[in-house]
Amino acid sequence: MITLTLVRHGESTDNLKTCWAGWKDAPLSNHGLNQAKAAGEFFAGVHIHTIITSPLKRAFTTAQQIHKNQPDGAKPPIVTTPLIREQHFGEAEGHPWMAPTSPSSTNSGRTGIIDPKTKEKSYPVQYGRQAKFPAGECLEDVAARTGEAFDAFVMPIVRESEGKACGEVNVFFVSHGIAISETIGSIFGKCIGGDKVQPESWRGLKNTAWTRLVIGMKGETLIYVKEAMKEPSSSSAAAMQDDTGAIIADEVGSANPPLTEGEDGQPDAAKEILAKVVAVNQYAHLEGVIRQKGGIGSLAHDEKQKAITDFFGGGGSKHDKVEATAAPIPVPAPESAQTVVDGDSIPME
């Protein structure tokens, strides 16, 4: 069995705006970089087998911080793939979003609505798994490609790790809110008895919060031992919410007994994996990460800028200081993935 930890990126400059930001490639804010650093330090004791990341700056920079904190001499490969990018919002990308004009209609306002005062076009939220903006993706599109990513990058590791104990093989996905929820839905669609699990159940991750699954081959017993992950504990209000994760995981198990025939038409007999959610929206690592004052925390991170303490002579959180990102990561380029060159990703689309 393996553990699969899905981490949402740190705060981006677009997260601070009311705009549609899917493939729009905004960088992390300074506060977002501090969140990513905190996540990297939190996972420093976890022996990571592979890090798989979206190539968008906000996710890739977060993945770099996790990679940077792994032990020298045992750093995992970091692989980028466009398959786990955020949902593409087409013509709405970069435009303001607004509440739906008609909740009962799945296509209301999909081509945008012009504000008569500002003359700016806004795009209302669309409902339904098939709904999408012109030139954009629907949720089913995202589910299809994230499922493809799982098959290409994770399933080989699951097969190789049959019989391994919890904590021995740990894979990380660094991605985006919608992409992560659709990834989980896709995984359960491939699992014995998992067809009825709704991706929307896993929405609402905070920036750099994470959700974790244990995944094994048919016939394996999925036993999760938190202590085996070697992550620090916390007594704060933001500490790991084990009870919440356990309740949700139990609800998934009880609501989805093994089926003879899955809703996707694929017999359970043809499926080869089992999965269970063991933690949801965990963010204990954000304890003590405070937004820098004076608007500095909300600015785009610039590797050349000085720390806020150089300007104001203050103290603050240990994560307040802005440092350069990790050095270029030498990684072999797998097929159908993106290569990493000088710390940046180049799409092979």
Side-chain angles (χ1 to χ4, degrees), residues 212-280:
R212 178 172 291 155
L213 288 74
V214 287
I215 305 172
M217 297 298 292
K218 183 178 181 179
E220 286 193 89
T221 301
L222 303 182
I223 300 176
Y224 178 64
V225 182
K226 186 179 71 174
E227 291 73 19
M229 302 303 294
K230 300 181 180 179
E231 292 160 340
S233 59
S234 173
S235 58
S236 75
M240 288 179 60
Q241 302 164 37
D242 299 298
D243 290 345
T244 301
I247 290 171
I248 293 177
D250 288 343
E251 287 177 349
V252 169
S254 61
N256 297 279
L259 306 174
T260 303
E261 186 81 12
E263 289 186 357
D264 57 5
Q266 183 182 15
D268 271 353
K271 298 179 179 181
E272 57 179 333
I273 61 171
L274 302 167
K276 182 177 181 179
V277 176
V278 294
V280 178

Side-chain angles (χ1 to χ4, degrees), residues 34-335:
N34 290 336
Q35 292 174 326
K37 288 180 180 180
E41 293 175 9
F42 181 83
F43 293 123
V46 179
H47 178 67
I48 301 177
H49 180 284
T50 305
I51 299 173
I52 303 162
T53 180
S54 157
L56 296 176
K57 293 173 186 175
R58 56 195 188 271
F60 184 72
T61 305
T62 303
Q64 280 185 308
Q65 291 300 318
I66 295 173
H67 182 274
K68 177 182 178 180
N69 282 275
Q70 289 290 287
D72 290 335
K75 292 188 183 296
I78 180 170
V79 178
T80 64
T81 172
L83 295 173
I84 60 172
R85 284 181 292 188
E86 184 56 292
Q87 182 178 359
H88 183 33
F89 298 116
E91 290 182 5
E93 288 280 344
H95 288 276
W97 60 265
M98 58 184 290
T101 56
S102 176
S104 60
S105 173
T106 58
N107 292 312
S108 180
R110 63 184 296 271
T111 58
I113 297 173
I114 297 177
D115 187 316
K117 294 183 179 180
T118 65
K119 305 301 182 184
E120 186 174 25
K121 183 180 282 189
S122 298
Y123 288 78
V125 173
Q126 301 291 298
Y127 286 113
R129 294 192 58 78
Q130 300 291 341
K132 58 183 175 182
F133 296 113
E137 292 181 303
C138 67
L139 293 175
E140 293 294 347
D141 295 329
V142 181
R145 61 175 167 82
T146 57
E148 183 181 343
F150 178 81
D151 289 342
F153 300 106
V154 181
M155 269 308 301
I157 301 173
V158 176
R159 294 189 183 101
E160 293 171 0
S161 304
E162 185 172 3
K164 298 285 187 179
C166 178
E168 290 190 43
V169 183
N170 307 297
V171 178
F172 274 58
F173 258 37
V174 184
S175 187
H176 311 264
I178 294 173
I180 286 174
S181 64
E182 293 301 323
T183 299
I184 296 173
S186 294
I187 292 171
F188 274 107
K190 301 173 188 295
C191 290
I192 298 169
D195 297 287
K196 293 183 180 179
V197 176
Q198 298 300 313
E200 290 78 7
S201 302
W202 320 111
R203 294 276 183 89
L205 291 181
K206 292 177 178 289
N207 288 117
T208 68
W210 52 275
T211 290
R212 178 172 291 155
L213 288 74
V214 287
I215 305 172
M217 297 298 292
K218 183 178 181 179
E220 286 193 89
T221 301
L222 303 182
I223 300 176
Y224 178 64
V225 182
K226 186 179 71 174
E227 291 73 19
M229 302 303 294
K230 300 181 180 179
E231 292 160 340
S233 59
S234 173
S235 58
S236 75
M240 288 179 60
Q241 302 164 37
D242 299 298
D243 290 345
T244 301
I247 290 171
I248 293 177
D250 288 343
E251 287 177 349
V252 169
S254 61
N256 297 279
L259 306 174
T260 303
E261 186 81 12
E263 289 186 357
D264 57 5
Q266 183 182 15
D268 271 353
K271 298 179 179 181
E272 57 179 333
I273 61 171
L274 302 167
K276 182 177 181 179
V277 176
V278 294
V280 178
N281 197 24
Q282 303 299 310
Y283 50 91
H285 59 278
L286 294 179
E287 179 183 6
V289 180
I290 302 171
R291 184 179 300 279
Q292 296 158 315
K293 296 181 179 180
I296 300 296
S298 300
L299 295 176
H301 170 62
D302 180 351
E303 294 181 12
K304 296 180 181 179
Q305 72 185 107
K306 293 183 179 181
I308 188 172
T309 51
D310 292 339
F311 288 104
F312 301 108
S317 162
K318 64 179 180 179
H319 295 293
D320 280 347
K321 187 175 181 180
V322 179
E323 301 174 352
T325 56
I329 304 167
V331 184
E335 294 182 4

